[in-house]
Every structure is written in C-alpha cells, then in structure tokens.
Amino acid sequence: MKLSDVSRNGASISIIVPTYNRAQYLPASLDALLPQIGRDDEIIVVVDGSTDETADVLARYGNRIEVIEQANAGKARALNAGLQKCRGQFVWIVDDDDVVCPTALGDLMQVFEADPSAGIAYGRYVRFQHEKDGAAKFLDTGYWNDCPTNEFLIATLEDFFVHQPGMLVRRSLYDAAGAFDEALPRSVDYDMLIRLSLLGKAASTANVIFHQRLHDGDRGPAASRFQAQRRDQNWISNDALIFDRLHQTLPLTDYLPSRRIESGDEERSALLQRGAIMARKKRWDIAISDFGRALEQSRSPLTPYEKRILRRATGSKYDCDEVFGNALIDEGLRSLSGSFPPGRELARSLARGLVWRARQAAAQGQLKRSSRIAAQACRWAAASWG
C-alpha cells in the first residue's frame, strides 16, 4: 500500500532512528523507510556516539534525513533527544538493525483511520537472520499475543510483545507519558510502552509491520555492552526493576480489563492477576504474597477467569526454570492450600500451566525437559491435597 492510498488528513510523521555502531545494518533500515514518507514527514537519526563508519553511511543520504549527534549515553537519552526535536503528529521509532515492510506506514495509518480514538497503532513482526551465503532466512514472530483492545494493558504487563518499529504513536501520547527513563540500562522501550498503554487505547492490524533482525552483535551503551547470548538475563533483570516499582505504584484497578474494582471478588481477581504477572517476572516472593492477599478477599471458588490468569503465571517468554526445586514456591502453595478453601484450586491452576509447558517441550522434542516440568507440576498439584 502506498502512502498516498491512505487518507492522512494532513497528519505528519516523525521517524526516530537511534543508532550506535550499527553502520553495517543502518542502510537497510533507512532504505526501507525513505520510500514511505511524504513531504511533511521527517526521519531523525540520533547517533549515540558511534565510533564506526556511521558518519560516512549517513553522509550518503544528504538532506533526506536529519542527524543529531550526542556523546554515548544509551538508547533512552537518544530517544529523548529525538522526541525533543521531532515535529510530527505521529511518532514512529525504528531500531537501526530492523527493516520495516514496504506497506508498514500505510498499514499503521489505516488503523488510526479505522479507529480515530486510538492512541497507538501496532502490528506483527517476523524475525530473520542472514545465512553464511548472505541469504535472508525468515523465521517466525516469536512471542505474540492476539488480545482484545481492552486487554492490551494486561497483556503488555504479562510480557513485552509489541516492539517500537511495529507501532505508530500519537505525539500527544508521548508528551503525556513523559521522557524515556534514562536511569534504566535496558527495557526502556518496555517501560515506555506500559506508560503509553496506561494513557491511551491501542488498536492493531494483523499485517506484518517489520522484520526483526537476529544477530550476534553487542548490545547496550558503551559502558555496559553485552553479548547477544546474555540478552535474556539482562532483560529479566531490568524488567524486574520496572515491575518492583509498578507493584508499589500502579493502582490495583489497572490489573483488570475494566480498570475498576467494585467488590471483594473483583479485588481478588486483580490481586491474582498482579501476582501472576509478578511470577512471570520471576518475582515469586511477591507473587505468593499477592496470592495470599487475594484469597483473603473471598472464600468462594475461583472463577474460570481467575483460573486462566493463574495458568498463565508460568507462561513467560523467558521460560520458568526458576520454579524447579524452589522451596519458597512449594512451601507457599502448601500454606495457601491449607489456609484457604480456594487455595487448593490456586495450586492446581498453577500446576495446569506447567502441564501446558511440559506438553510444549515434548512437542519440540525436549523430552527430558518435559519430564522435569511435569514432575514440578505434580509437586504443585500435590500441594493442593493438603
């Protein structure tokens, strides 16, 4: 879809591309963006103290792009510099190593045309990597959540699945959310998406918006570079910083799709949801505490909705290895099962989530891992027997 095929009502787009030592990938990113912009749009490349050939690469683009130079300070500061400079009514942040699809901008603008009340338009992505012969091999989307609009915030709290190159955001929403958190070494985009989701409605397209490049290059600012193989642990650690803060500051109402609590049963559901989210972030100490508080609210049987929440507690895209032989969890579930009538249902629901992971591992041929997960599920189920 060409940009001219979509009614924009005079809206302008600002595209921000933060970059640090990615001269080999940057041209593919920029070359995919340039054909999609109009006369009133802009591409702002924020160079975060690059020491490679980035300057030579950007010089080839002349006045088709605007360049901001800064001393190396990390992605958050680069993005804040770009936001301060941009003039568009919509903001599109694109990573320097990813490649947007030819129809991406038109597809995202169509979302706003279909739903003018939306503040965020987003779509899918497909991962790819280059083979030794240079050919691109396309893989899959990775972690994704097809969720209703009213559940987008909760789905985002559970796991980060919408990435910046795959979403277009009203500039007014960024203004309301405030600056990117420069104190966070990683997960700044996740932190911002949560804040945006609290303030505005997200609407989606089923179309693929960008191709996410997989590679083994270093990541992070110069002072804390890390290899790709350690990225999961870095993200887990930084997500924990975000969610420790959210546990203290985010109103309990935000853990329900309705975003309101009018009864003890609804408060229980919200606490179970918050606990399940904390479990997905590997903070089981907080999760067990929230589960206990939840069961104090109501002694009625768990609802199907609450059981689904609990089954998702072990569904993190970073897996759930932390549950194996974890005495805190095992003893916590035994205590909850013995103290509250719904406690046994809670333990069984958590165990069912592990059974799903065991089946998934078996389907992937990981039979030893499947057996280990299934054994842990049995231990949790046994906690429900008293």
Side-chain angles (χ1 to χ4, degrees), residues 263-304:
S263 68
D265 286 343
E266 289 178 339
E267 184 167 356
R268 183 178 74 176
S269 295
L271 284 164
L272 290 175
Q273 179 67 80
R274 188 173 72 178
I277 287 169
M278 295 301 156
R280 292 172 75 102
K281 306 308 173 186
K282 319 302 183 185
R283 293 308 310 269
W284 280 93
D285 54 335
I286 299 176
I288 293 295
S289 175
D290 271 349
F291 292 158
R293 288 185 56 193
L295 297 184
E296 290 173 354
Q297 300 301 315
S298 171
R299 293 180 174 269
S300 60
L302 297 183
T303 66

Side-chain angles (χ1 to χ4, degrees), residues 36-332:
Q36 301 188 48
I37 63 172
R39 181 182 58 189
D40 296 326
D41 303 328
E42 59 185 356
I43 298 176
I44 301 172
V45 180
V46 186
V47 182
D48 187 36
S50 293
T51 57
D52 62 358
E53 297 76 28
T54 293
D56 294 333
V57 168
L58 295 179
R60 302 201 298 262
Y61 291 91
N63 61 6
R64 291 183 294 167
I65 63 172
E66 183 172 355
V67 178
I68 299 175
E69 299 267 3
Q70 68 173 34
N72 182 260
K75 186 177 182 180
R77 188 169 299 179
L79 291 173
N80 286 335
L83 283 173
Q84 290 173 4
K85 186 73 173 178
C86 68
R87 304 181 300 272
Q89 295 163 273
F90 294 88
V91 176
W92 193 12
I93 295 172
V94 177
D95 291 334
D96 56 1
D97 55 348
D98 294 330
V99 181
V100 302
C101 296
T103 64
L105 187 52
D107 290 338
L108 292 172
M109 286 303 299
Q110 267 204 328
V111 174
F112 286 115
E113 185 178 16
D115 187 354
S117 66
I120 304 167
Y122 71 94
R124 303 181 72 94
Y125 65 98
V126 170
R127 300 181 297 174
F128 78 101
Q129 62 187 18
H130 282 289
E131 305 286 74
K132 291 182 179 179
D133 62 1
K137 178 182 179 181
F138 292 90
L139 305 170
D140 54 19
T141 295
Y143 182 82
W144 187 255
N145 191 327
D146 284 313
C147 61
T149 297
N150 69 330
E151 295 181 11
F152 181 79
L153 172 60
I154 291 172
T156 298
L157 290 170
E158 288 188 340
D159 268 317
F160 184 40
F161 68 101
V162 175
H163 300 276
Q164 288 174 330
M167 67 182 192
L168 188 65
V169 181
R170 294 187 188 275
R171 171 60 189 269
S172 58
L173 202 58
Y174 272 117
D175 290 341
F180 283 85
D181 188 349
E182 297 181 14
L184 279 174
R186 295 291 295 169
S187 299
V188 295
D189 42 0
Y190 190 11
D191 174 67
M192 176 56 77
L193 181 57
I194 292 169
R195 286 192 273 152
L196 293 171
S197 303
L198 287 164
L199 296 169
K201 177 182 178 182
S204 66
T205 173
N207 295 346
V208 173
I209 299 300
F210 77 102
H211 295 146
Q212 185 182 66
R213 187 189 299 270
L214 302 181
H215 59 88
D216 295 327
D218 286 351
R219 286 162 165 78
S224 58
R225 299 294 274 171
F226 60 92
Q227 293 293 321
Q229 58 265 33
R230 292 197 291 115
R231 61 189 175 192
D232 284 2
Q233 189 53 54
N234 275 275
W235 281 323
I236 289 169
S237 298
N238 284 279
D239 287 357
L241 296 176
I242 295 170
F243 280 84
D244 283 353
R245 179 175 63 199
L246 287 174
H247 190 267
Q248 299 297 322
T249 60
L250 191 63
L252 195 56
T253 51
D254 287 328
Y255 292 92
L256 291 180
S258 65
R259 299 181 73 172
R260 66 176 185 270
I261 294 175
E262 299 176 347
S263 68
D265 286 343
E266 289 178 339
E267 184 167 356
R268 183 178 74 176
S269 295
L271 284 164
L272 290 175
Q273 179 67 80
R274 188 173 72 178
I277 287 169
M278 295 301 156
R280 292 172 75 102
K281 306 308 173 186
K282 319 302 183 185
R283 293 308 310 269
W284 280 93
D285 54 335
I286 299 176
I288 293 295
S289 175
D290 271 349
F291 292 158
R293 288 185 56 193
L295 297 184
E296 290 173 354
Q297 300 301 315
S298 171
R299 293 180 174 269
S300 60
L302 297 183
T303 66
Y305 173 73
E306 291 171 328
K307 292 177 182 179
R308 286 194 297 271
I309 288 172
L310 293 166
R311 288 198 294 269
R312 296 198 302 269
T314 53
S316 169
K317 64 182 179 182
Y318 299 127
D319 227 318
C320 58
D321 289 358
E322 76 282 352
V323 307
F324 298 133
N326 191 320
L328 181 148
I329 304 174
D330 295 346
E331 294 170 6

